[in-house]
Amino acid sequence: MNLMVKVCSALPSFEIVAIRAIFGAVGCMVYLSIYRIPLFGPPEHRKLLVTRGCFGFIGLSCTYYSLTVLPLSDATVLSFLSPVFTGILARILLKERFGLPDILCTILSLMGVVFIARPEFIFGGHSTSNDEVIEPLKRMVAVAISILGAVAAGFAYVTVRTIGSGVHPLVLVNYLSMISTVLATICCFAFPSQRAAAAVPPLWMLAPLFAACSTALLGQVCWVVCLGCGLYLQRYAGTPQQRPANRKGREGGQHELPPDHLLAHV
């Protein structure tokens, strides 16, 4: 996906986000409609779903902007900071474990950011990577935006963790796509630089755009499904006496099965 977005970097980043979001929203709505799954999910989860969609949009927009400015390798490595911030936020908001190995890995990750950002007061002169010459200030701004995107992605992941396995994976992806479609379209017109650079994609760019949109949608679905299965496995780990059981399980000695919607039709 990142490679395809980089290929399309002649387009404004918000335009790429909008195209990707529209593609995802249409795909999710078609799927949910075919299987008669409520588009907006359970009412008790909708506030968290909107929150997840907003944070997801911020993370997506920041990542796509960094891909259009920074070398592909640098932008990709910075996007992998999201697990670091997810762990920190999960400790603060959900009181989950964040031990010494996590702290050491976090420090090493942040040290790596310094070598990617290459601040002028340490490295001096223009930053050059992969034959690209980038102004130091422009690089620092792009790195800061990419880190902001990783933080926003961390909030989105923690929100999904809070929602748990009670929402169909495609509903989670659909909220991200619908909210990103609206907000990205507004941003395309709100920012003068984005509005001035907006253009109809040339024919040669349609193939990489389709590849970026389809791989992004597939990646989102796989990530949400795997996260839901991971939450189930975590919940049912331990001895049989520690595992929660449903009514049938309590009567017949069996335990609750994984929610069908985590794997059905996906």
Side-chain angles (χ1 to χ4, degrees), residues 2-230:
N2 288 356
L3 175 60
M4 295 298 100
V5 173
K6 186 67 176 178
V7 171
C8 302
S9 59
L11 295 175
S13 57
F14 280 122
E15 184 174 348
I16 301 175
V17 173
I19 295 171
R20 179 245 197 253
I22 293 171
F23 183 94
V26 171
C28 290
M29 288 181 181
V30 169
Y31 175 93
L32 295 173
S33 299
I34 290 175
Y35 290 102
R36 298 181 181 179
I37 301 168
L39 293 177
F40 301 104
E44 63 272 18
H45 290 309
R46 286 175 185 171
K47 289 184 179 179
L48 285 175
L49 287 167
V50 172
T51 302
R52 179 266 190 272
C54 292
F55 279 122
F57 165 73
I58 296 172
L60 191 65
S61 300
C62 292
T63 299
Y64 279 22
Y65 174 79
S66 67
L67 284 168
T68 61
V69 175
L70 296 173
L72 177 62
S73 57
D74 292 358
T76 301
V77 171
L78 287 172
S79 69
F80 289 148
L81 284 174
S82 57
V84 172
F85 294 113
T86 302
I88 296 173
L89 292 169
R91 173 58 183 171
I92 295 172
L93 300 176
L94 304 179
K95 308 303 179 185
E96 294 193 356
R97 185 178 179 276
F98 195 79
L100 181 60
D102 304 302
I103 295 173
L104 293 177
C105 291
T106 297
I107 294 172
L108 290 174
S109 299
L110 296 178
M111 288 174 60
V113 173
V114 176
F115 290 97
I116 295 176
R118 302 187 188 96
E120 190 174 5
F121 66 89
I122 296 178
F123 295 91
H126 292 293
S127 299
T128 305
S129 177
N130 297 337
D131 298 325
E132 294 186 45
V133 179
I134 304 175
E135 293 290 334
L137 179 60
K138 186 176 182 180
R139 169 178 282 276
M140 291 297 294
V141 170
V143 169
I145 290 175
S146 185
I147 294 174
L148 173 62
V151 174
F155 274 107
Y157 297 157
V158 170
T159 305
V160 174
R161 177 74 170 86
T162 304
I163 294 171
S165 58
V167 176
H168 192 281
L170 266 294
V171 174
L172 285 163
V173 179
N174 190 40
Y175 265 86
L176 170 63
S177 300
M178 290 190 300
I179 291 173
S180 296
T181 298
V182 175
L183 295 181
T185 303
I186 292 173
C187 291
C188 282
F189 293 97
F191 293 95
S193 59
Q194 296 279 320
R195 186 170 62 248
V200 177
L203 289 178
W204 69 265
M205 200 177 286
L206 296 181
L209 273 175
F210 177 80
C213 293
S214 56
T215 53
L217 178 59
L218 178 62
Q220 277 284 317
V221 172
C222 291
W223 174 79
V224 174
V225 170
C226 291
L227 178 62
C229 293

